Amino acid sequence: MDSAFVGHVHALRLALTDPRFDACAVPGALAVLPGARDALDKAAALATGAGADGAGPYADRLAASVEAAGTAVQRPELGTLVATVPAGPADREAATAAVAAVDDEAVRLRTAVKSRDGFFTTFFISPYSRHIARWCARRGLTPNQVTTASLITALIAAGCAATGERWGYVAAGVLLLVSFVLDCTDGQLARYSLQYSTMGAWLDATFDRAKEYSFYAGLALGAARNGDDVWALAVGAMILMTCRHVVDFSFNEANHDATAAGASPSGSPTAALSAKLDNVGWTVWVRRMIILPIGERWAMIAVLTALTTPRIVFYALLAGCAFGALYTTAGRVLRSLTRKATRTDRAAQALADLSDSGPLAELQGRLLRGRAGSFGSVYVAALGAVLMIGAALWLPFGDPRLIAVAVIYVMASGLAVAAPLKGALDWLIPPLFRAAEYVTVLVLAAKADVPGALPAAFGLIAAVAYHHYDTVYRIRGGTGAPPHWLVRTIGGHEGRVLLLTVLAAVLASREADFPVALTAAAVFVALVVLVESIRFWVSSGAPAVHDEGEPA
């Protein structure tokens, strides 16, 4: 840091304390983490850094030299903040006046709020949750502690809903909103205090799903106390939300590198129309609200829980989320078809990892390697998913013919991922596989028509969904997908589907045992996935990241 530096403390904080970047700089200051230390040593060994004439502050010349050597140097957007090394007394006086004219604490508090968020969060939560975040920072609380408090609050809310009493539903609605306030606070605290970590991003994302799905289970238990079985609706809501998120993840992974390689998102008519609508202020909020992002969704759930019944909550949730999923997916399909972009090998590998193919699909892939790709991977995956879901719906529980359909699904799954997933619509393959597996579990449990089958199906899908979210956040954190042994151990999506159809056929005459089989599968998957996931995230050396949460 240059001894003549003049600027805001928060400008220095952005440059010197952000753990996400190996090298970060503002005028007059440079900080590096161990990943950029070699580049710094080489730059420091040069007499004048990057500047041949030695002009300019030494920190700036070092930063330029580090960047010239191939190490990226993050330069945070300062906005109204000041960071400079004055050349003389007049410049110093002007810089000092500029510092005095801007309240950096106000800037820090304002930028703690996510730049793009939903209507409910922006106008009903963030105006005061940012102050809670500052209160937490001044008392030494960490974002992970606030995240955990949000989870505990949501679990208490689920317990209140499970009472089936009106007071319990009202308390559950209030506590769910409190949990959401804390959920916003943890991210704002991370941005306010620059406490970013890979584990923090993982906790924030996975706890969001744990909170929401636990609340679904609480509603189902509460309804059951009043003689209303809504477990199928609870499972359906969980399936819809998970598949919707997989669409988000897959599309983003497929197109992130393509955009960076020069394929501008504005290259499609759909994206151009979206950009035009963004220029009309009110349409931005309408478009964000109609897809029912997490803020609007949790507010709707909380209000309806307090005022109505669990069945009405699930009907509203399914209708709203289905519309949002169709709206966003249709737009992304149109963008993909009209936009000319080349997918990278990294994107293709990410889609293959998100597909969660097990040993059976891998065997198919090896046998077909070099001869696959001409069939259209996404169409093969779609055909397999439709056949699997259709047969599960049409055939009676335990019908051996469903095993034959499951074998066809296994073959289609292997064929779909045998070639690199670089097609325009190949990002649809992971959500198609998720829908096929989850819906098959739901239909088999519903058709078994025995007590405990649907709650067991809820548990199994929750355990598998956790594995799929864990995969997403490992990829986002830059550490790659879970190890192959883990995916093979839990069978892959196609192996689990085949196993469940075989179990249904074997237990056709003893349907009461099917919930036991589902529960055993859920416990096995949960134990294997959780143990490996916790081991990985606790010991992970992945670079620090900050997840912005569910897209608004």
Side-chain angles (χ1 to χ4, degrees):
M1 178 178 168
D2 197 290
S3 60
F5 175 87
V6 174
H8 288 102
V9 173
H10 191 52
L12 281 179
R13 190 181 288 113
L14 291 172
L16 304 180
T17 65
D18 195 326
R20 294 174 296 173
F21 309 106
D22 284 339
C24 195
V26 295
L30 167 69
V32 299
L33 292 177
R37 185 57 188 264
D38 288 343
L40 176 65
D41 290 342
K42 292 176 183 177
L46 300 176
T48 58
D53 59 356
Y58 182 55
D60 294 358
R61 288 185 278 122
L62 277 179
S65 183
V66 168
E67 197 161 42
T71 298
V73 177
Q74 170 69 13
R75 290 179 169 81
E77 180 63 45
L78 297 179
T80 58
L81 296 176
V82 176
T84 185
V85 178
D91 290 341
R92 173 173 292 277
E93 184 177 344
T96 302
V99 170
V102 176
D103 183 353
D104 72 336
E105 177 60 21
V107 173
R108 185 185 183 190
L109 195 60
R110 185 176 66 251
T111 55
V113 177
K114 194 189 305 183
S115 59
R116 184 176 184 271
D117 221 329
F119 180 86
F120 179 77
T121 305
T122 299
F123 295 102
F124 292 91
I125 303 297
S126 293
Y128 56 88
S129 62
R130 70 183 77 181
H131 297 285
I132 300 175
R134 179 169 61 182
W135 183 89
C136 293
R138 290 176 175 177
R139 282 152 183 80
L141 298 177
T142 67
N144 289 351
Q145 290 171 333
V146 178
T147 300
T148 303
S150 176
L151 173 66
I152 293 172
T153 303
L155 293 178
I156 295 173
C160 291
T163 63
E165 302 288 341
R166 178 51 54 192
W167 71 264
Y169 290 146
V170 173
V174 172
L175 288 172
L176 188 64
L177 289 177
V178 172
S179 175
F180 182 65
V181 171
L182 293 174
D183 183 57
C184 295
T185 300
D186 63 5
Q188 291 163 0
L189 175 58
R191 284 182 286 270
Y192 180 85
S193 57
L194 299 179
Q195 297 184 72
Y196 302 123
S197 69
T198 304
M199 184 176 179
W202 167 73
L203 284 177
D204 186 45
T206 55
F207 280 12
D208 278 352
R209 304 287 75 77
K211 289 180 284 189
E212 191 165 3
Y213 298 160
S214 296
F215 197 80
Y216 294 173
L219 286 174
L221 289 170
R225 287 179 176 273
N226 294 312
D228 188 13
D229 188 352
V230 297
W231 275 106
L233 296 177
V235 176
M238 182 167 61
I239 291 173
L240 182 56
M241 285 308 309
T242 304
C243 290
R244 174 180 169 177
H245 287 138
V246 174
V247 168
D248 294 337
F249 300 143
S250 296
F251 180 80
N252 291 335
E253 288 299 326
N255 290 283
H256 174 73
D257 286 350
T259 300
S264 171
S266 60
S268 76
T270 307
L273 175 61
S274 178
K276 289 181 180 179
L277 289 174
D278 283 344
N279 292 327
V280 183
W282 64 270
T283 67
V284 174
W285 294 118
V286 171
R287 292 165 63 210
R288 291 185 189 180
M289 291 173 65
I290 62 175
I291 63 173
L292 213 62
I294 188 169
E296 279 74 0
R297 189 168 70 249
W298 282 31
M300 181 188 75
I301 293 172
V303 171
L304 291 180
T305 296
L307 300 179
T308 65
T309 65
R311 181 172 291 273
I312 293 176
V313 174
F314 285 122
Y315 282 155
L317 186 62
L318 287 166
C321 290
F323 176 81
L326 290 173
Y327 174 80
T328 54
T329 304
R332 288 167 176 171
V333 168
L334 288 174
R335 289 190 186 197
S336 300
L337 292 175
T338 57
R339 174 179 165 211
K340 304 301 180 183
T342 301
R343 268 71 183 185
T344 63
D345 291 338
R346 191 215 65 83
Q349 183 59 50
L351 291 180
D353 292 335
L354 290 173
S355 296
D356 192 34
S357 300
L360 297 178
E362 287 180 351
L363 176 61
Q364 284 281 108
R366 284 195 293 269
L367 294 175
L368 295 170
R369 191 150 294 150
R371 299 188 295 273
S374 59
F375 302 100
S377 296
V378 68
Y379 303 112
V380 174
L383 178 61
V386 170
L387 284 175
M388 191 67 242
I389 294 173
L393 289 169
W394 180 61
L395 295 173
F397 179 81
D399 194 316
R401 289 175 292 179
L402 191 59
I403 299 177
V405 177
V407 170
I408 296 174
Y409 175 73
V410 169
M411 297 174 65
S413 301
L415 181 59
V417 298
L421 302 181
K422 295 186 177 182
L425 296 177
D426 283 355
W427 56 270
L428 284 169
I429 291 176
L432 284 169
F433 288 160
R434 298 296 80 75
E437 179 182 2
Y438 297 164
V439 173
T440 298
V441 175
L442 169 59
V443 172
L444 288 176
K447 287 195 171 184
D449 196 23
V450 292
L454 284 168
F458 187 97
L460 176 57
I461 294 173
V464 175
Y466 175 87
H467 163 61
H468 292 144
Y469 281 108
D470 185 53
T471 301
V472 166
Y473 284 93
R474 292 198 195 203
I475 294 173
R476 281 189 173 183
T479 59
H484 283 301
W485 70 261
L486 174 66
V487 179
R488 293 191 185 106
T489 300
I490 60 176
H493 69 95
E494 79 289 354
R496 291 188 294 269
V497 167
L498 181 59
L499 174 64
L500 289 175
T501 58
V502 171
L503 287 174
V506 171
L507 299 175
S509 59
R510 303 195 312 275
E511 293 179 349
D513 292 337
F514 191 62
V516 178
L518 289 176
T519 302
V523 170
F524 175 77
V525 171
L527 284 176
V528 173
V529 170
L530 280 172
V531 169
E532 162 56 21
S533 178
I534 293 172
R535 182 209 63 78
F536 171 80
W537 289 105
V538 169
S539 63
S540 174
V545 297
H546 177 63
D547 178 58
E548 286 295 324
E550 181 180 321

